[in-house]
Amino acid sequence: MRHVSLSILCFLGLSVSAIAADKPSSPAVNADRIQQHIAELSKFGTNPEGGVSRVAFSDADIAGRDYIKKLMQEAGLEVRIDTAGNILGRRDGASSKLSPIMIGSHADSVPGGGNYDGDVGVIGAIEVAQTLKEHGTRLKHSLEVVVFADEEGGTVGSMAMAGNLQPDALAIVSHSGKTIRDGIRAIGGDPDRLGEARRKPGDLKAYIELHIEQGAILEESDIDIGVVEGIVGIRWWDVTIEGVPNHAGTTPMNRRRDAMLSAAEFVLAVNRVATSMEGRQVATVGRIRAEPGAPNVIPGKVVLSLEIRDLDAAKMVAVYDAVRTEADKIASARQTPFTFAELKVASEPAPTDERIRRLIAKAATSLNLSHRAMPSGAGHDAQEITHIAPTGMIFVPSVGGISHSPKEFTSQPDMANGANVLLQTVLAIDRGELR
């Protein structure tokens, strides 16, 4: 078992990095250094609960980015800021004719977030560059380490790199209080020249992102590495249920057209549909508002949300169609018409590259690490980069499945495992195994 073997190593007084050092045939990351850098980065935006509030474009974000740039320089990377505010550290490869391999993630957090979401991918990528430098390993491809700007506010930096950041998004006010436009300026970008941050298909050989799972599947299954099949698509609707408002004290139960009662049945129906179909789809009602909203008035109108996620766009359609069928039944029985208004699609499903998935699995196996294929239910910068480059994602366990919380935690050995798989995947791509 994964945790038993780690306990034995600790009992014997051996660190993961020491064990890795006994394998001179292949470079391995320094687990202690990863932990140290994670701890140092967590000081920027630290909050009393033990997590961070390092929201994009804030003073804490800017200070954390300065620390990251220093680590990049120590790892032998030439550092620059693109016009979208993304940090890019580059180490030239032996051949200028080959497209670079890009690795990285984001370092901004949600308000009241944790110390591992995004950070593990950033520090792990820098550790890969540092390890290659220390072993004197020069890749044929150039290596680029990226720290994307404002992932938590809507994958702003990666959208810009993929050419998908719309001009009207720049007016949105971020968690920092700055607009996206002003925030990009604050971190060294130039929102008036966003086109220069764009990469075209073929500009990158591959992009690989290391990330914590943000769920409990790996930990509960005692699996070391998640090989991400893709990032699920998300569709949203506002659902309006029309009833008849009436006096709650004088209207008999059998004469009511209660929109809230229909809403309650609808919420249960959504759950029933999602759980009765084969697959890994999820459907959620996360918001509900009753009108007029008085305790002594039968609700005449309810507006609620419907969200459906899956890696397969056709499956999302099937779930929606089944939910609509259930809504029609409720509407007929309760005399409460339903209206569905689809909002702008949050994201399309973004499958990762099958070839990179095979290389990640091969790397895990070579390191004696267990692995399993799995989708990502959360959004990531990787979903944007799938539009322009072959993309892969590596997951490592999140203790208790907790994320976006000060209680978020991933162990030092698990972070090192992920970084070593990232390193071996980069080396495999550089050897020409991406085919």
Side-chain angles (χ1 to χ4, degrees):
M1 299 290 284
R2 178 169 63 95
H3 298 299
V4 172
S5 61
L6 290 175
S7 298
I8 292 172
L9 291 180
C10 293
F11 177 75
L12 295 175
L14 299 174
S15 70
V16 174
S17 54
I19 295 297
D22 290 336
K23 299 180 180 180
S25 60
S26 180
V29 303
N30 185 320
D32 294 334
R33 184 165 55 203
I34 291 174
Q35 182 64 58
Q36 176 188 348
H37 289 166
I38 287 286
E40 289 293 326
L41 182 56
S42 72
K43 295 177 182 178
F44 301 98
T46 186
N47 59 40
E49 294 75 30
V52 292
S53 293
R54 194 170 54 245
V55 298
F57 314 132
S58 65
D59 291 344
D61 182 39
I62 292 170
R65 286 164 58 93
D66 287 342
Y67 172 71
I68 288 167
K69 286 185 281 187
K70 179 176 75 71
L71 293 183
M72 285 183 166
Q73 291 164 348
E74 291 173 356
L77 300 171
E78 183 179 343
V79 181
R80 69 180 181 90
I81 309 295
D82 71 10
T83 56
N86 300 315
I87 306 174
L88 292 161
R90 181 182 174 100
R91 186 178 187 218
D92 286 337
S95 174
S96 60
K97 297 180 180 180
L98 298 175
S99 300
I101 300 169
M102 179 177 282
I103 56 178
S105 190
H106 67 96
D108 64 298
S109 80
V110 296
N115 299 316
Y116 300 87
D117 176 7
D119 297 3
V120 170
V122 168
I123 297 302
I126 294 173
E127 178 61 27
V128 166
Q130 182 75 52
T131 301
L132 293 173
K133 175 189 174 185
E134 291 174 351
H135 282 77
T137 303
R138 187 182 186 190
L139 303 179
K140 290 178 289 187
H141 297 76
S142 295
L143 180 69
E144 287 195 57
V145 174
V146 63
V147 181
F148 287 112
D150 193 14
E151 191 267 0
E152 297 293 1
T155 60
V156 169
S158 53
M159 285 184 71
M161 185 174 287
N164 294 327
L165 185 62
Q166 301 303 313
D168 56 358
L170 298 176
I172 295 173
V173 178
S174 69
H175 288 300
S176 70
K178 301 181 180 73
T179 63
I180 301 297
R181 178 183 296 278
D182 290 342
I184 289 174
R185 285 200 182 97
I187 60 175
D190 186 344
D192 297 324
R193 297 162 49 215
L194 279 181
E196 296 175 29
R198 183 176 183 179
R199 301 290 183 92
K200 300 185 297 295
D203 284 352
L204 298 174
K205 178 65 176 178
Y207 171 70
I208 310 114
E209 182 169 354
L210 169 64
H211 208 281
I212 62 171
E213 181 197 345
Q214 298 180 278
I217 293 174
L218 292 177
E219 185 192 36
E220 291 180 354
S221 303
D222 202 24
I223 299 293
D224 299 305
I225 297 295
V227 183
V228 180
E229 299 166 295
I231 297 94
V232 299
I234 305 173
R235 293 179 67 181
W236 289 328
W237 291 263
D238 273 343
V239 182
T240 301
I241 306 170
E242 297 285 353
V244 175
N246 213 334
H247 197 292
T250 62
T251 309
M253 298 301 289
N254 63 353
R255 295 181 61 84
R256 299 182 178 208
R257 292 170 61 186
D258 187 337
M260 180 65 83
L261 181 58
S262 294
E265 292 183 344
F266 177 77
V267 172
L268 292 173
V270 169
N271 183 73
R272 186 168 60 251
V273 166
T275 55
S276 64
M277 300 175 71
E278 292 291 331
R280 295 174 293 195
Q281 66 283 335
V282 295
T284 307
V285 175
R287 170 177 46 80
I288 188 166
R289 183 184 76 248
E291 298 178 8
N296 59 347
V297 181
I298 298 165
K301 180 179 180 179
V302 170
V303 180
L304 47 76
S305 62
L306 171 65
E307 180 192 87
I308 298 173
R309 300 189 184 208
D310 196 76
L311 194 55
D312 182 351
K315 175 56 73 66
M316 288 196 290
V317 172
V319 172
Y320 173 70
D321 288 344
V323 167
R324 282 299 303 261
T325 297
E326 293 295 319
D328 289 343
K329 293 177 182 177
I330 297 167
S332 177
R334 299 289 179 189
Q335 299 183 59
T336 51
F338 281 65
T339 303
F340 288 73
E342 184 165 9
L343 306 179
K344 181 180 178 182
V345 175
S347 63
E348 295 288 348
T352 54
D353 190 277
E354 184 177 356
R355 299 167 301 167
I356 297 181
R357 294 201 297 267
R358 287 197 296 266
L359 292 181
I360 292 170
K362 180 181 176 182
T365 299
S366 73
L367 295 166
N368 296 316
L369 299 173
S370 56
H371 62 86
R372 64 170 290 173
M374 61 190 303
S376 171
H380 300 286
D381 290 306
Q383 71 195 64
E384 299 298 333
I385 306 305
T386 59
H387 297 296
I388 58 172
T391 298
M393 279 199 79
I394 300 162
F395 274 173
V396 290
S398 295
V399 173
I402 298 172
S403 185
H404 284 189
S405 162
K407 295 182 180 179
E408 177 181 273
F409 181 73
T410 293
S411 72
Q412 177 177 325
D414 284 333
M415 289 190 289
N417 285 341
N420 274 319
V421 171
L422 177 63
L423 171 59
Q424 294 305 319
T425 304
V426 167
L427 291 172
I429 292 173
D430 192 60
R431 290 192 298 266
E433 295 183 27
L434 183 62
R435 55 180 183 270

